[in-house]
């Protein structure tokens, strides 16, 4: 195990390290104590926190949204969420070439439609949705109103909708080689998503549907995984007719919290010392289960504000309570370390195993981590990004992408707003439908690869 070089850290950063370890130790102790408490005692604390919270927060919400929020909050999995809104789903399993079993969900029909022959082709155009970091497929459908769910809206529009899951998360916590309690199970980064998870999932979907191509829609890290996969698998570009990137992530500038940002960029592998070599924030599900949901939502809000300077004003309080319960899923510490390596080097690169590379006194480096060749992507790319999203530097991103990339700015939108905002059915979903319709017309899809970004921006796809 490599020990990060810490000599360049300031006194303030060492204090932050000490504080972080203290918080983690306290959380571990509290978790241990709570596990041995009788259930009536835990229920009493839960009810007490609920009463105390409501005394200080007397907001009134629309009764219909509050009712829907309660249903989504209590849904235990993807199946429950579909049942709430009247959809029949399918479950599939993808075996990656390196032995991971990935859960894959499918919405083959409109609300209330049942199929006599599940697991077969529908003859419809195929759309594949992929989630972001620390998430799973539930984030696409955990909305209080089904009209604001992109997945449901596309199913109603006549698409065969598939929703993927990363290795290690709630629906993909299995491998034929290693158990989830071993470090080797969690020894993966964004590289592995690009080499295996994305292409193997696409191959499975196309085998089942018998379709020659599909459309890919990613959110946050789900876009990074597609950028990486398309850049290193030339043949994959022939199987994806359009790549729509929501809140695209490639090389974020960093975090809004200065101490955390500086510390992690100085030594990304320091995360291994804090969280170990397995799953990051693995106790989050435990604390969520014993915390009154509005309090849990408030904690998430404050954390997002501190780390990313997101205010989440575009997401209603009831939507937050419902969606935040489905927000977290397991991910490897190594994949988060990979992100901080990308931020430190300001380049969309593969995982750097040589964390102790030599320091030179000249401007010429003897070593550079391999970068994903994203300018080689042939598939048409559409970026839908919020101009209040601290993780998106659109100019830097466009400079690393091919000239046929087009982009659409969403005014006042932050990162999570693109999934759960009040007006996604007005601002986001119609844009997605427009581009899907355009690129699913075969003659146009073939020709558009050669159309310049300026032509596209100047009205080729204008409303």
């Amino acid at each position: 195990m490599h020990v990060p070089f810490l000599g360049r850290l300031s006194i303030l950063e060492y204090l932050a390290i000490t504080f972080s370890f203290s918080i983690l130790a306290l959380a571990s102790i509290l978790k241990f104590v709570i596990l041995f408490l009788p259930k009536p005692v835990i229920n009493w604390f839960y009810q007490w926190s609920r009463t105390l919270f409501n005394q200080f927060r007397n907001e009134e919400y629309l009764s219909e949204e509050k009712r829907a929020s309660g249903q989504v909050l209590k849904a235990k999995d993807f199946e429950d969420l579909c049942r709430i809104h009247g959809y029949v789903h399918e479950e599939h399993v993808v075996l990656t070439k390196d032995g991971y079993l990935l859960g894959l969900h499918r919405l083959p029909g409109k609300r209330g439609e049942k199929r006599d022959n599940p697991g077969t082709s529908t003859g419809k155009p195929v759309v594949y949705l992929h989630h972001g970091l620390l998430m799973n497929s539930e984030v696409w459908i955990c909305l209080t109103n089904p009209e604001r769910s992109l997945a449901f809206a596309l199913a109603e529009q006549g698409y065969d909708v598939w929703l993927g899951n990363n290795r290690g998360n709630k629906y993909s916590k299995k491998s034929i080689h290693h158990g989830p309690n071993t470090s080797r199970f969690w020894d993966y980064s964004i590289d592995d998503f690009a080499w295996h998870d994305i292409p193997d999932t696409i191959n499975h979907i196309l085998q089942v549907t018998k379709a020659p191509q599909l459309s890919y829609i990613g959110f946050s890290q789900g876009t990074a995984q597609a950028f990486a996969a398309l850049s290193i698998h030339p043949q994959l570009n022939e199987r994806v007719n359009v790549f729509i990137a929501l809140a695209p992530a490639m090389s974020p500038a960093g975090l809004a919290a200065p101490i955390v940002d500086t510390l992690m960029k100085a030594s990304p592998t320091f995360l291994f010392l804090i969280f170990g070599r397995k799953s990051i924030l693995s106790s989050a599900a435990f604390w969520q289960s014993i915390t009154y949901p509005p309090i849990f939502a408030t904690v998430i809000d404050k954390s997002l504000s501190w780390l990313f300077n997101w205010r989440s004003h575009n997401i209603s309080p009831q939507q937050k309570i419902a969606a935040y319960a489905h927000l977290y899923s397991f991910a490897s510490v190594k994949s988060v370390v990979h992100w901080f390596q990308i931020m430190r080097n300001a380049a969309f690169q593969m995982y750097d195993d040589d964390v102790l590379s030599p320091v030179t006194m000249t401007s010429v480096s003897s070593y550079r981590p391999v970068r994903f060749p994203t300018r080689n992507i042939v598939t048409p790319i559409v970026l839908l990004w919020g101009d209040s999203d601290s993780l998106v530097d659109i100019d830097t991103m466009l400079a690393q992408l091919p000239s046929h990339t087009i982009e659409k700015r969403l005014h006042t939108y932050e990162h999570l707003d693109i999934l759960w905002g009040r007006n996604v059915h007005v601002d986001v979903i119609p844009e997605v439908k427009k581009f899907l319709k355009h690129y699913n017309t075969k003659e146009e899809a073939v020709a558009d690869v050669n159309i310049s970004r300026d032509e596209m921006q100047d009205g080729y796809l204008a409303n």
Side-chain angles (χ1 to χ4, degrees), residues 144-166:
T144 55
N145 185 333
E147 292 180 359
R148 292 190 298 111
S149 164
L150 177 60
F152 290 150
L154 294 180
E156 292 297 320
Q157 192 73 17
Y159 289 94
D160 187 351
V161 182
W162 294 74
L163 306 97
N165 285 286
N166 283 343

Side-chain angles (χ1 to χ4, degrees), residues 92-97 99-104 162 196-197 199-205:
H92 293 251
V93 178
V94 178
L95 175 62
T96 67
K97 291 182 177 63
Y100 283 83
L101 299 173
L102 311 180
L104 183 60
W162 294 74
H196 302 295
D197 292 19
D200 290 347
T201 299
I202 288 176
N203 287 339
H204 177 90
I205 293 172

Side-chain angles (χ1 to χ4, degrees), residues 186-424:
W186 300 99
D187 186 24
Y188 61 82
S189 67
I190 298 171
D191 296 359
D192 301 280
F193 301 143
W195 286 113
H196 302 295
D197 292 19
I198 297 301
D200 290 347
T201 299
I202 288 176
N203 287 339
H204 177 90
I205 293 172
L206 294 181
Q207 286 175 4
V208 172
T209 61
K210 310 300 181 186
Q213 291 182 317
L214 56 72
S215 304
Y216 183 100
I217 301 175
F219 171 77
S220 191
Q221 182 179 280
T223 70
Q225 294 174 205
F227 286 131
L230 290 168
S231 72
I232 60 177
H233 296 286
Q235 71 281 9
L236 197 62
N237 289 260
E238 300 173 5
R239 316 199 81 185
V240 180
N241 55 34
V242 64
F243 166 25
I244 300 176
L246 307 180
M250 183 177 285
S251 53
L255 303 180
I259 292 179
V260 180
D261 185 65
T262 303
L263 180 61
M264 292 301 102
K265 286 180 180 176
S267 185
T269 50
F270 181 66
L271 278 173
F272 288 132
L273 295 179
I274 299 177
F275 296 106
R277 291 274 179 173
K278 297 181 182 179
S279 175
I280 194 167
L281 299 176
S282 57
S283 62
F286 168 79
W287 292 109
Q288 176 183 328
S289 67
I290 65 170
T291 306
Y292 181 46
I295 295 179
F296 182 78
T298 300
V299 171
I300 296 296
D301 262 351
K302 298 299 182 184
S303 300
L304 294 176
S305 175
W306 180 58
L307 288 173
F308 306 110
N309 199 30
W310 298 339
R311 305 304 176 186
S312 302
H313 295 317
N314 291 330
I315 306 176
S316 73
Q318 287 298 326
Q319 179 60 71
K320 291 177 185 178
I321 291 171
Y324 287 173
H326 300 274
L327 175 62
Y328 172 79
S329 199
F330 300 100
S332 70
V333 176
K334 186 175 181 179
S335 64
V336 180
V337 169
H338 192 171
W339 272 117
F340 280 108
Q341 290 181 350
I342 290 171
M343 293 178 190
R344 178 181 62 179
N345 292 286
F348 190 45
Q349 64 181 49
M350 297 184 188
Y351 184 81
D352 185 5
D353 295 289
D354 190 10
V355 295
L356 297 179
S357 56
V359 178
T360 63
M361 300 304 293
T362 68
S363 60
V364 179
S365 173
S366 60
Y367 167 75
R368 191 194 79 168
V370 178
R371 297 180 183 178
F372 290 106
T374 49
R375 292 191 186 92
N376 296 341
I377 297 174
V378 177
T379 294
I381 301 171
V382 178
L383 311 178
L384 296 181
W385 61 283
D387 59 9
S388 296
D389 188 348
S390 60
L391 292 182
V392 177
D393 183 339
I394 192 64
D395 293 330
T396 300
M397 188 173 296
L398 289 174
Q400 299 180 56
L401 292 172
S403 60
H404 60 256
T405 303
I406 65 173
E407 52 91 12
K408 170 76 175 182
R409 184 180 73 167
L410 301 171
H411 184 56
T412 76
Y413 271 68
E414 295 177 342
H415 208 66
L416 294 174
D417 296 352
I418 293 179
L419 281 179
W420 303 324
R422 287 185 178 88
N423 294 315
V424 292

Side-chain angles (χ1 to χ4, degrees), residues 82 85-88 109-114 145-147 152 155-156:
C82 287
H85 298 299
Y87 288 86
V88 178
K110 299 181 180 181
R111 182 185 303 179
E113 284 187 359
K114 294 183 179 180
N145 185 333
E147 292 180 359
F152 290 150
E156 292 297 320

Side-chain angles (χ1 to χ4, degrees), residues 73-88:
L73 171 68
K74 295 175 182 177
K76 64 180 180 180
D77 55 20
F78 192 92
E79 181 177 8
D80 274 1
L81 289 167
C82 287
R83 187 182 296 116
I84 289 171
H85 298 299
Y87 288 86
V88 178

